Amino acid sequence: AQTVTQSQPEMSVQEAETVTLSCTYDTSESDYYLFWYKQPPSRQMILVIRQEAYKQQNATENRFSVNFQKAAKSFSLKISDSQLGDAAMYFCAYRSPLGEGETSGSRLTFGEGTQLTVNP
Amino acid sequence: NAGVTQTPKFRVLKTGQSMTLLCAQDMNHEYMYWYRQDPGMGLRLIHYSVGEGTTAKGEVPDGYNVSRLKKQNFLLGLESAAPSQTSVYFCASSYGLLAGPEGDTQYFGPGTRLTVL
């Protein structure tokens, strides 16, 4: 079974600075998908960024980018020019490729989360 | 578009009581999911559905049942609530992988906080 580990329960950053959140995962598969989700105090989960393992290029979305190291099974999230609205719990998630047809769904395995505080 | 909505937002039950959580989505998504979130843990999949009339077990299905009678709705039932089921429950939906590379992106509802006394 795949596992996802976020070793930083809490992180803090000064407004306008850069912060990196760590995520490692364990899998024997060669093709898979990785995600970062953000959960603000409203509790709703919001997709931040998505990475396909077969793509060597790191995904970016505005101020959010990832450092995907496939050999090391590492998937860190970098937030540049941090804003107060970035304060939230961040979850790393893994999705396997489909096995037998569509019946396996697109099941996500989540890490434990990292609580990010942004200081003004 | 309302996206994914969940009813109710909060609920308190006594041990042994039953209840149903409703999830609705207006994005014409094929796949729907129920997760639970406990302190210090990531979300864990309870049950999911890959289409109307289908359901499947996830990681922690015991004590829960689900139904997907209509494509837009996914119901989660607790037949006899236990204190261990105190949690925040999230519903999510996605287009499904046949929709293309982005089809596995899941859209989440706002959550339901359930307390079982």
Side-chain angles (χ1 to χ4, degrees):
Chain A
Q2 291 79 25
T3 58
V4 178
T5 302
Q6 293 176 249
S7 59
Q8 307 153 314
E10 297 176 348
M11 291 281 286
S12 63
V13 63
Q14 290 296 125
E15 195 175 3
E17 297 292 311
T18 296
V19 64
T20 299
L21 308 184
S22 301
C23 173
T24 59
Y25 55 93
D26 185 26
T27 184
S28 58
E29 294 163 331
S30 59
D31 190 19
Y32 47 86
Y33 302 82
L34 297 165
F35 304 82
W36 278 99
Y37 280 89
K38 168 185 176 181
Q39 187 180 43
S42 66
R43 292 209 312 258
Q44 189 152 2
M45 298 282 284
I46 303 166
L47 177 68
V48 175
I49 204 163
R50 177 181 183 276
Q51 174 80 43
E52 293 148 343
Y54 65 86
K55 289 186 176 179
Q56 292 184 337
Q57 186 173 5
N58 289 326
T60 61
E61 285 289 341
N62 300 315
R63 297 182 294 106
F64 298 86
S65 61
V66 297
N67 183 6
F68 174 47
Q69 301 288 331
K70 191 172 184 179
K73 298 179 182 175
S74 170
F75 183 60
S76 60
L77 175 70
K78 185 171 82 171
I79 306 174
S80 304
D81 186 25
S82 296
Q83 300 175 0
L84 295 178
D86 295 333
M89 180 75 85
Y90 286 82
F91 290 96
C92 178
Y94 171 102
R95 182 181 78 73
S96 299
L98 276 187
E100 300 171 3
E102 284 289 293
T103 56
S104 61
S106 55
R107 298 167 59 163
L108 294 174
T109 300
F110 286 85
E112 307 92 332
T114 297
Q115 181 67 52
L116 177 66
T117 301
V118 180
N119 300 310
Chain B
N1 273 356
V4 180
T5 58
Q6 293 182 231
T7 307
K9 290 185 169 53
F10 303 93
R11 186 70 186 268
V12 178
L13 291 178
K14 294 181 179 178
T15 297
Q17 287 185 319
S18 63
M19 77 162 295
T20 300
L21 279 65
L22 172 63
C23 176
Q25 52 92 6
D26 61 1
M27 296 176 281
N28 201 32
H29 285 170
E30 288 293 334
Y31 290 13
M32 297 187 75
Y33 315 80
W34 275 108
Y35 294 90
R36 61 177 289 172
Q37 183 180 29
D38 300 298
M41 303 180 71
L43 278 71
R44 293 182 292 167
L45 183 65
I46 304 171
H47 286 281
Y48 65 99
S49 167
V50 298
E52 181 178 322
T54 74
T55 63
K57 294 181 180 179
E59 183 184 352
V60 288
D62 294 342
Y64 305 95
N65 58 74
V66 288
S67 64
R68 183 100 181 268
L69 298 179
K70 293 183 179 180
K71 185 177 182 178
Q72 64 268 33
N73 295 337
F74 194 31
L75 279 62
L76 177 71
L78 286 72
E79 290 186 347
S80 179
S84 61
Q85 294 178 303
T86 294
S87 187
V88 180
Y89 291 85
F90 287 94
C91 177
S93 67
S94 67
Y95 281 110
L97 298 174
L98 292 179
E102 302 293 327
D104 62 348
T105 298
Q106 295 187 19
Y107 297 83
F108 284 80
T112 295
R113 183 176 294 278
L114 175 66
T115 301
V116 183
L117 302 175

